[in-house]
Amino acid sequence: MRYVQLRAFHSVAVHGGFSRAADALHLTQPAISDQVRKLEEEYDILLFNRRKRQVTVTKEGAKLLEITNRLFEHEQQAQDFLSESRALSSGTLRIVADAAHHMTPALSQFRSKYPGIHISVRSGNSEHVISELYAYNADIGVLGEIPDNKDLKILKLGSTPLVAFAAKGSDYDRKARLSYRELAKLPLVLREPGSKTRQKLMEAASRAGTTLTPTIEAEGREAVREIVASGAGIGFVSIAEYGSDERLVQMSLPGSPVTMDEALVCLNGRSDGKLISAFMGLAAEFFEMHASST
């Protein structure tokens, strides 16, 4: 087994194809294919399913990918250590956020301090955020909960209650507060099942003896907002992310507040990486300062 063979395998697995892996490594596709083939032949193992133009890892390939993820992450950490003076002058920080409201001030400060760093921010529900961290497709995650997960380094950002909202002037714009029994009779616009907002709302309704059923399911907070603004039903969001929208009217939920605890997370095994530790450290300083001033 040679380093170049593992690198070729890892790149094909991460990029989802031989051509894309070749582009990423600045090699030819035949060269990448040859290295993977030699690795498979030497150990008599099938690492990829090759069906027409689709390439996916086999069960054995997935296990090897878990190992090479750690291997090349450690290699990157070593490179960062050896070139410490340049480590924060370039590179990309990848963030996947379920709820990004509390993170944005720290993000602005990070950009000011490290202008050479490119930042990628994508959205996804809590399940997606965690899976992207484990797959090494993201460096930092932002969650609408405090996860019980020993693999994660966690920084709590804030806590805000959920509220209901509807289109101003619609048939549902009638009360400042709605009971769960009343909500159960109205058309509800909820996020996908993996959403922590939806999960907490359902749990609160269940404790009140009511089952809520979505009339419309939408992927992402913005999609819910636009559907509700059209008058199609009732949506739910934390107050922190409700924002200002003249098309909408806010309504309180009954009983004790249903709170969303926003957290910044990364894998413990990657927390020493230069970009990740710099962002987590700056965010911790920012929120500690903000908490002491309020």
Side-chain angles (χ1 to χ4, degrees):
M1 176 181 63
R2 296 182 180 181
Y3 172 88
V4 291
Q5 294 171 349
L6 282 180
R7 170 64 80 179
F9 158 78
H10 181 78
S11 187
V12 174
V14 168
H15 294 286
F18 287 87
S19 294
R20 288 189 288 271
D23 290 340
L25 295 178
H26 305 291
L27 297 171
T28 64
Q29 181 177 335
I32 294 293
S33 299
D34 184 56
Q35 293 296 342
V36 173
R37 178 182 57 79
K38 288 179 178 177
L39 184 62
E40 290 178 319
E41 289 180 352
E42 183 176 351
Y43 292 95
D44 192 22
I45 188 173
L46 183 65
L47 297 172
F48 293 105
N49 295 310
R50 302 164 173 84
R51 298 188 181 93
K52 296 182 179 179
R53 295 187 177 181
Q54 185 177 11
V55 177
T56 58
V57 292
T58 62
K59 182 179 179 180
E60 291 76 13
K63 291 181 179 179
L64 181 59
L65 180 59
E66 292 179 5
I67 298 170
T68 59
N69 273 333
R70 295 192 295 270
L71 170 66
F72 291 114
E73 174 63 20
H74 291 158
E75 179 187 65
Q76 184 61 51
Q77 290 178 5
Q79 182 176 338
D80 289 346
F81 173 76
L82 293 171
S83 57
E84 185 171 352
S85 62
R86 297 182 297 155
L88 292 174
S89 62
S90 63
T92 298
L93 182 69
R94 301 165 300 168
I95 300 172
V96 180
D98 177 25
H101 177 81
H102 288 103
M103 177 197 68
T104 50
L107 193 63
S108 177
Q109 286 204 355
F110 185 83
R111 280 286 302 128
S112 297
K113 188 171 183 179
Y114 305 109
I117 302 300
H118 173 73
I119 299 175
S120 166
V121 180
R122 294 179 287 122
S123 62
N125 62 42
S126 295
E127 290 182 357
H128 179 69
V129 170
I130 296 295
S131 67
E132 288 293 270
L133 289 174
Y134 275 119
Y136 283 53
N137 292 328
D139 305 308
I140 299 286
V142 187
L143 298 174
E145 62 173 329
I146 305 298
D148 182 16
N149 189 324
K150 295 181 180 179
D151 291 339
L152 300 178
K153 180 176 181 179
I154 301 167
L155 173 64
K156 183 176 179 179
L157 303 183
S159 180
T160 54
L162 285 180
V163 294
F165 64 98
K168 187 177 294 185
S170 67
D171 293 339
Y172 322 115
D173 176 11
R174 297 175 181 175
K175 294 186 177 181
R177 181 182 295 270
L178 289 169
S179 70
Y180 289 114
R181 189 178 299 274
E182 289 173 315
L183 285 171
K185 298 176 182 178
L186 297 175
L188 306 181
V189 184
L190 301 183
R191 288 187 61 184
E192 67 281 1
S195 162
K196 186 57 62 174
T197 300
R198 173 171 171 165
Q199 179 182 325
K200 289 202 170 188
L201 178 69
M202 294 293 197
E203 290 172 352
S206 178
R207 289 194 295 269
T210 304
T211 300
L212 300 182
T213 303
T215 302
I216 299 175
E217 287 187 355
E219 186 172 343
R221 195 168 286 102
E222 288 306 313
V224 171
R225 179 182 293 270
E226 293 305 314
I227 292 170
V228 170
S230 72
I234 307 290
F236 305 87
V237 73
S238 73
I239 288 180
E241 296 203 323
Y242 179 75
S244 176
D245 194 325
E246 295 181 353
R247 302 173 299 170
L248 305 174
V249 61
Q250 179 180 308
M251 295 164 284
S252 299
L253 296 175
S256 300
V258 181
T259 58
M260 301 296 293
D261 299 316
E262 193 165 311
L264 198 67
V265 300
C266 68
L267 290 177
N268 277 322
R270 303 189 64 206
S271 61
D272 290 334
K274 292 296 180 183
L275 285 180
I276 295 175
S277 63
F279 187 83
M280 294 290 282
L282 186 148
E285 291 176 5
F286 175 85
F287 289 105
E288 182 178 353
M289 184 182 304
H290 179 75
S292 63
S293 63
T294 57

